[in-house]
Amino acid sequence: MQATQMNSGALAARTATLASKSSSFGGRVLPVARSNKATSAFSLKIKAAQEFEFEVEKPFGLSLGKKGGPEGGVMVKFVNPGGNAAAAGMKAGDQIIYHSSFFGDELWPADNVGFTNTAIQACPGAVDFVTIRGKDIGSVNVKRLPKREAPKKFGKKLTAIQKERATHICIDCGFIYYLPVPFEEQAPTYICPQCNAPKSRFSKYDPITGKITGNTGLPAIVSISLGLGLLVAGAFVYIGLN
């Protein structure tokens, strides 16, 4: 019985001694009593790479090169200080992770420099680039990236060059047409790159005032029907008042 009491007393004393001690981990002193959650000491905070989006008119004024490594990638090797890429904010050393597709309706991962050059040259208008820079370079496995929706153009401030070309606007989504090819020369099958509306849904647009200056794109028969309907309604109102 005495031995049992001594053992119990020794155990209590040992427990008190351990509880009063502390251990070091990673340079910080952590009380033993607070280290019951061992997994919390090994939790990692993963910070996503910061992306930069640019819309660049042609000619771009830049040259691209291959990024080394198994994850693939395209690097901006040179930016002409007086070119459109520089004016948009792109810098030599940036890694391109996305660029516009052939038709500009979506963004494709930039995992091959040859394909990237072909795609951006084939794009009919300004090209969208998504880049990362600095410490984030190499942190993205471009080969595993999915396609991405192209940035919306609605409400976007036009550049001086785009204002010079802006002649029409899609009345369905607000996409402003400013491609180098005049709108009238586009084929009848042309569709809005943002909402796929047909060419007939575009109206003339004044980039200075930001207002629609042409028709609303409604078929003539619809416009005539609306006009007749208003006239008939007005006649009934006039007769009723008299």
Side-chain angles (χ1 to χ4, degrees):
M1 183 66 178
Q2 185 177 3
T4 303
Q5 291 177 347
M6 291 179 61
N7 289 340
S8 299
L11 180 60
R14 179 63 174 169
T15 302
T17 302
L18 289 174
S20 64
K21 290 184 177 181
S22 61
S23 62
S24 61
F25 179 81
R28 296 178 57 193
V29 177
L30 304 174
V32 175
R34 296 183 182 180
S35 62
N36 56 337
K37 293 183 180 180
T39 54
S40 63
F42 298 94
S43 61
L44 299 177
K45 294 183 179 179
I46 301 175
K47 183 179 179 182
Q50 183 180 4
E51 297 181 354
F52 299 86
E53 294 184 359
F54 306 99
E55 184 178 18
V56 185
E57 291 279 351
K58 297 178 182 178
F60 305 121
L62 55 74
S63 60
L64 307 179
K66 179 181 179 182
K67 178 187 173 301
E71 69 277 1
V74 176
M75 300 294 295
V76 179
K77 294 297 185 182
F78 171 77
V79 174
N80 185 340
N84 291 328
M90 296 187 72
K91 299 180 180 180
D94 285 353
Q95 180 185 352
I96 299 174
I97 59 175
Y98 280 103
H99 58 76
S100 294
S101 62
F102 289 137
F103 303 104
D105 56 344
E106 59 184 1
L107 299 180
W108 288 344
D111 63 340
N112 181 281
V113 64
F115 184 80
T116 295
N117 275 320
T118 300
I120 63 177
Q121 293 299 335
C123 191
V127 173
D128 293 305
F129 292 96
V130 179
T131 71
I132 55 178
R133 59 179 48 154
K135 60 182 177 55
D136 290 327
I137 291 178
S139 63
V140 177
N141 189 337
V142 186
K143 292 184 177 181
R144 293 182 176 271
L145 291 178
K147 294 179 181 179
R148 182 186 293 186
E149 183 181 2
K152 299 295 183 183
K153 307 298 181 181
F154 179 71
K156 194 170 185 177
K157 186 177 180 180
L158 300 177
T159 65
I161 296 177
Q162 291 171 347
K163 282 186 177 180
E164 293 177 1
R165 299 174 182 168
T167 57
H168 289 72
I169 186 172
C170 175
I171 62 175
D172 288 346
C173 72
F175 172 77
I176 300 173
Y177 182 90
Y178 51 79
L179 301 183
V181 178
F183 183 78
E184 292 78 7
E185 296 181 12
Q186 289 287 2
T189 55
Y190 174 80
I191 61 174
C192 175
Q194 184 162 287
C195 72
N196 294 327
K199 187 178 180 181
S200 61
R201 298 298 292 169
F202 278 78
S203 180
K204 290 185 178 180
Y205 173 78
D206 185 350
I208 304 300
T209 62
K211 296 181 178 180
I212 296 176
T213 59
N215 58 54
T216 59
L218 294 174
I221 186 64
V222 176
S223 299
I224 294 173
S225 298
L226 289 174
L228 291 175
L230 291 174
L231 287 174
V232 171
F236 277 115
V237 172
Y238 177 79
I239 294 172
L241 293 175
N242 294 279

